[in-house]
Amino acid sequence: MSNPQQLRYSKEHEWLSAAEDGVSTVGITEHAANALGDVVFVQLPEVGSTVSAGETCGELESTKSVSDLYSPVTGEVTEVNENVVDDPSLVNSAPFEGGWLFKVRVSEEPADLLSADEYTEFSGS
């Protein structure tokens, strides 16, 4: 399993892309997707809502369990991935590509986000 170097990671197993025009993309890591098992339902934050770093902003339900989705940053949700809502298995099959979850206009980024190497060491993946 390889964590893309250009992303940053939270200890709650979310990834964050570099901001383009102030907007970053958020998803869950391959490590988290594998731990969850087959994702069958995704509840994402609403466009226009404010999310806060480290706080619950949605939910992922798998055949094994239900897991909270945490925002790695604070900001306003600008877009949600409707493809994942329609086909939650994208979270498992393409966690770093088509399985992204939402986009956020970042207003505050915590200092404790991890590099790919730091996340690999942290997660053991």
Side-chain angles (χ1 to χ4, degrees):
M1 183 178 331
S2 177
N3 297 304
Q5 291 292 318
Q6 74 275 19
L7 302 176
R8 282 162 294 142
Y9 301 85
S10 74
K11 290 185 177 179
E12 287 80 27
H13 307 286
E14 282 80 27
W15 58 260
L16 179 76
S17 72
E20 292 182 30
D21 296 326
V23 176
S24 290
T25 303
V26 175
I28 67 165
T29 65
E30 187 173 2
H31 174 81
N34 289 340
L36 274 171
D38 295 334
V39 177
V40 296
F41 176 77
V42 177
Q43 177 192 4
L44 300 175
E46 292 184 25
V47 172
S49 65
T50 300
V51 293
S52 298
E55 305 241 333
T56 302
C57 65
E59 193 173 87
L60 301 169
E61 184 177 327
S62 73
T63 54
K64 292 182 182 178
S65 66
V66 176
S67 180
D68 287 332
L69 172 64
Y70 296 92
S71 179
V73 293
T74 298
E76 180 184 346
V77 176
T78 62
E79 184 180 348
V80 296
N81 187 349
E82 293 295 340
N83 292 333
V84 166
V85 174
D86 294 340
D87 182 6
S89 70
L90 288 170
V91 172
N92 298 103
S93 64
F96 296 115
E97 294 96 22
W100 63 273
L101 300 175
F102 64 94
K103 295 187 179 190
V104 59
R105 182 168 305 285
V106 178
S107 61
E108 186 179 329
E109 187 176 303
D112 64 350
L113 290 177
L114 307 172
S115 70
D117 293 338
E118 291 168 332
Y119 179 75
T120 298
E121 185 175 326
F122 168 77
S123 65
S125 58

